[in-house]
Amino acid sequence: MRGLVGAWRLSRTLGHLALGIAVVALRFPSRDAGGRQALIRWWSAKLLSALGIGLTVHGAPRAGATLLVANHVS
């Protein structure tokens, strides 16, 4: 069963990477900086979903430099 889940996640991830290449080639040139950031956020969230990774955000980022801390729960 784990092998099937792994194969499914791998195929979803490879498909999503191909979609990302297409988005960069076709959509990025016509977008401003805000539009590009929106596409990056959308693509990144979908990649995490394809990999089966959850994301929890606490607080709001400040303007300027940001420190990202990642941790896991055992």
Side-chain angles (χ1 to χ4, degrees):
M1 187 64 166
R2 287 181 64 184
L4 287 174
V5 171
W8 173 245
R9 286 186 180 160
L10 178 62
S11 65
R12 284 182 62 194
T13 301
L14 292 175
H16 192 67
L17 290 173
L19 175 65
I21 292 169
V23 166
V24 168
L26 302 173
R27 301 294 301 239
F28 260 43
S30 65
R31 300 289 176 133
D32 62 356
R36 289 178 182 175
Q37 287 299 316
L39 283 173
I40 290 169
R41 281 191 301 274
W42 169 81
W43 188 86
S44 298
K46 294 294 183 184
L47 178 63
L48 290 177
S49 175
L51 292 171
I53 299 172
L55 175 67
T56 304
V57 178
H58 297 279
R62 295 181 180 195
T66 302
L67 173 66
L68 175 68
V69 178
N71 200 355
H72 63 85
V73 177
S74 298

